[in-house]
Amino acid sequence: MPWLDFNKLQDEGKDRMIDVTGVKVFSATKAKERELLGELITDWIRSHPDHEIVDKIVTQSSDSEFHCLTITLFYKHNKPS
């Protein structure tokens, strides 16, 4: 698997620069964990109102036994209002 350059992501075949100050990774392999992943991410976003999500990557991988879902959020810190 190639390395991910956090400053350069693919968008419809075009390179673009994004301004990020942090990355949050959510991952689940068990079926029940995958079902609850959306709620976990929503709770995290609500509890971090000073973080603006600027991009995301959804990755699914599996082998003969396990199915893994990973959601990676790229964010930047906003100044408190």
Side-chain angles (χ1 to χ4, degrees):
M1 180 185 310
W3 288 94
L4 175 63
D5 179 351
F6 291 111
N7 292 316
K8 188 184 280 188
L9 298 176
Q10 295 294 323
D11 183 23
E12 300 176 4
K14 297 179 182 177
D15 291 340
R16 63 188 172 101
M17 300 295 289
I18 60 172
D19 179 21
V20 299
T21 56
V23 177
K24 179 69 176 173
V25 179
F26 298 88
S27 185
T29 55
K30 297 177 183 171
K32 188 64 174 172
E33 292 174 345
R34 290 192 304 268
E35 289 174 17
L36 299 174
L37 202 54
E39 291 176 35
L40 182 67
I41 294 169
T42 299
D43 290 345
W44 184 85
I45 291 171
R46 286 184 180 151
S47 65
H48 295 86
D50 59 328
H51 292 23
E52 176 187 351
I53 307 301
V54 295
D55 209 341
K56 79 274 181 204
I57 297 176
V58 178
T59 308
Q60 180 182 354
S61 60
S62 61
D63 59 19
S64 61
E65 202 171 330
F66 296 100
H67 305 287
C68 183
L69 177 62
T70 303
I71 299 176
T72 307
L73 301 180
F74 299 88
Y75 62 88
K76 63 180 176 180
H77 293 280
N78 288 327
K79 295 179 182 176
S81 37

